[in-house]
Amino acid sequence: MKKKFKLFTSESVTEGHPDKICDLIADTILDKALEQDPESRIACEVCCTTGLVMVLGEFTTEGYIDIPTLVRDTVADIGYTNADFGFDSKTCAVVTSIKEQSADISVGVNAALEKRRDSIDPADAIGAGDQGMMFGYATDETEEYMPLPIMLAHKLTSALSRARRDGTLAYLRPDGKAQVTVAYDGNTPVYVDTVVLSTQHDPSVSHDRLEEDIIEKIIRPVIGGKYLTENTKYYINPTGRFVIGGPAGDSGVTGRKIIVDTYGGMCPHGGGAFSGKDPTKVDRSACYYARYVCKNMVAAGAARKMELQVAYAIGKARPVSLSVNTFGTSAYSDDALLSIITELFDFRPLRIIENLELRKPIYRFTTIGGHFGKDGMTWEKTDKADKIRAMLKEFGK
């Protein structure tokens, strides 16, 4: 009998996708605020359509932000600099509607419930900026401690962008997406079953040429011989044509690519988006911290893969719950792992901000190609792994 493998699919999108245009604008505005005032409270939402970008939100900052200029510069950097592309940084309208953060929210962020109840612990100085549950995840199946399908999808969209920018495939335009289906034997990825790649292009290029170029110059160099097989299926621009793209083809909104931003669907998502939000918003910062915890635990050998849920009440510093799942890949009990996590990691918002250095203008870099699995981000450090290994030995006695 032929062996059955489990199939799992993830996708990524390029910086020219309309939703990612909005995410990138929002995080560029956030960075500009934090650059001038690290205590800035920013909740920035962006939407775009043909010829129009709207920037909405609640800003409390001492900095000055020239929003129209930032929007146009960001759109130009993405590559929409020609009206023939359906969207042009020079001529698109920019509309803004900005107000200060609600006093009903800021009262809980400025002084956590614990502080209002006479806590003298400095870490109780600020409360969570919202209620909700957040998830972190890590797996040993790739060197980035990320699921293989989402990492391959990100690498494909990154390769698309490079080929457009360096002229290797000069007929490409900014909008595009990649989807990768991986076959698993248990927890081990075995081969790539299907690659779906759609990319905006100049109307002069034939579909046959596009398909050949994408397979030979993008897919094969990125995925290589380890996972591609003679039976791998390729679907390149399945409709046959993708000339109208970006905001001219579809409207965009911040926060609509939360699965692309995280683990490609391999892990649950609490629903909170990241882009445009300062680190007092735990639906961003606590997700980063949960990733940091899981990556350190997996790197230390506590499990082959780990999912961590953390939940908060608005205005309260300490989380209301922590829950761990190792999917049967750990030799240790969940209680043992949670005891290590609670001893080594502090989930209060102020400590998260301090430990991960989140008041810096670092967020534009996170927006494209996912927020996790990237070198240089503080939540990707494995600096706690040695301590975790030592603690695991105590449980092994």
Side-chain angles (χ1 to χ4, degrees):
M1 175 184 270
K2 187 175 180 180
K3 188 167 187 176
K4 290 277 190 178
F5 295 103
K6 175 185 174 182
L7 300 181
F8 193 89
T9 302
S10 297
E11 76 157 354
S12 178
V13 299
T14 66
E15 67 267 42
H17 186 285
D19 293 331
K20 273 296 150 197
I21 293 173
C22 295
D23 285 344
L24 192 59
I25 290 170
D27 274 336
T28 300
I29 290 171
L30 172 62
D31 278 355
K32 190 65 175 178
L34 292 173
E35 182 182 296
Q36 301 170 78
D37 176 9
E39 302 292 327
S40 294
R41 302 274 178 83
I42 304 294
C44 182
E45 305 290 345
V46 180
C47 58
C48 67
T49 187
T50 307
L52 174 66
V53 176
M54 297 182 66
V55 179
L56 320 169
E58 295 76 46
F59 294 15
T60 301
T61 180
E62 296 297 320
Y64 170 72
I65 308 169
D66 182 352
I67 291 177
T69 297
L70 282 182
V71 168
R72 295 184 190 283
D73 288 349
T74 302
V75 171
D77 184 61
I78 289 169
Y80 286 112
T81 56
N82 189 326
D84 290 342
F85 295 175
F87 198 68
D88 186 354
S89 63
K90 299 182 292 296
T91 59
C92 67
V94 180
V95 177
T96 64
S97 179
I98 305 298
K99 58 185 177 181
E100 286 191 339
Q101 184 180 63
S102 162
D104 290 347
I105 295 175
S106 63
V107 68
V109 178
N110 294 339
L113 178 65
E114 291 87 342
K115 183 176 181 180
R116 285 178 275 135
R117 290 180 175 174
D118 300 323
S119 170
I120 60 172
D121 189 330
D124 290 331
I126 66 172
D130 202 353
Q131 70 176 48
M133 61 281 192
M134 300 84 203
F135 289 88
Y137 184 84
T139 172
D140 66 0
E141 67 189 67
T142 64
E143 63 181 15
E144 298 91 353
Y145 292 92
M146 288 286 287
L148 181 64
I150 189 64
M151 289 309 300
L152 291 180
H154 285 327
K155 289 176 181 179
L156 288 173
T157 53
S158 178
L160 269 182
S161 180
R162 283 197 306 272
R164 171 175 62 90
R165 291 177 181 275
D166 67 18
T168 300
L169 298 177
Y171 58 76
L172 296 181
R173 290 180 177 176
D175 196 357
K177 55 175 62 178
Q179 181 176 288
V180 179
T181 302
V182 173
Y184 281 83
D185 182 3
N187 293 311
T188 304
V190 180
Y191 64 89
V192 170
D193 181 83
T194 307
V195 180
V196 182
L197 196 148
S198 297
T199 179
Q200 188 183 12
H201 59 85
D202 187 276
S204 64
V205 67
S206 70
H207 186 266
D208 287 344
R209 180 188 172 190
L210 176 73
E211 185 173 50
E212 180 181 354
D213 282 350
I214 293 300
I215 292 174
E216 297 303 324
K217 297 181 180 180
I218 302 294
I219 297 174
R220 292 195 188 280
V222 167
I223 300 180
K226 182 177 180 181
Y227 292 112
L228 295 179
T229 75
E230 60 182 15
N231 296 318
T232 299
K233 299 177 283 293
Y234 305 96
Y235 298 98
I236 313 302
N237 282 16
T239 65
R241 179 181 169 88
F242 186 3
V243 173
I244 302 171
D250 191 9
S251 60
V253 181
T254 43
R256 281 206 302 207
K257 288 292 174 282
I258 56 178
I259 299 303
V260 172
D261 287 344
T262 52
Y263 306 100
M266 192 70 77
C267 170
H269 198 295
F274 297 160
S275 292
K277 297 177 181 178
D278 75 82
T280 65
K281 280 76 172 176
V282 286
D283 45 6
R284 181 172 213 163
S285 55
C287 281
Y288 290 176
Y289 201 65
R291 160 65 176 174
Y292 172 61
V293 173
C294 289
K295 186 173 180 181
N296 273 272
M297 294 291 284
V298 172
R304 287 195 60 195
K305 61 180 179 177
M306 177 178 287
E307 169 192 300
L308 179 68
Q309 185 202 60
V310 54
Y312 290 89
I314 187 169
K316 188 177 184 300
R318 291 173 173 80
V320 299
S321 71
L322 290 171
S323 176
V324 68
N325 184 1
T326 60
F327 308 92
T329 67
S330 178
Y332 306 91
S333 70
D334 290 352
D335 286 344
L337 299 179
L338 277 172
S339 69
I340 292 174
I341 289 169
T342 54
E343 181 170 338
L344 291 183
F345 300 95
D346 191 334
F347 287 83
R348 287 174 291 181
L350 182 59
R351 290 292 182 249
I352 292 174
I353 291 168
E354 292 173 342
N355 292 338
L356 298 185
E357 303 175 56
L358 297 181
R359 293 202 188 277
K360 296 180 178 180
I362 58 173
Y363 296 101
R364 180 184 170 96
F365 177 69
T366 67
T367 315
I368 308 301
H371 293 244
F372 306 122
K374 290 178 175 176
D375 289 338
M377 309 314 294
T378 54
W379 50 90
E380 296 297 323
K381 298 183 298 183
T382 55
D383 55 333
K384 301 283 191 182
D386 286 342
K387 288 184 179 178
I388 294 167
R389 289 189 193 99
M391 296 177 75
L392 289 172
K393 288 180 181 179
E394 294 298 317
F395 284 109
K397 289 182 179 180

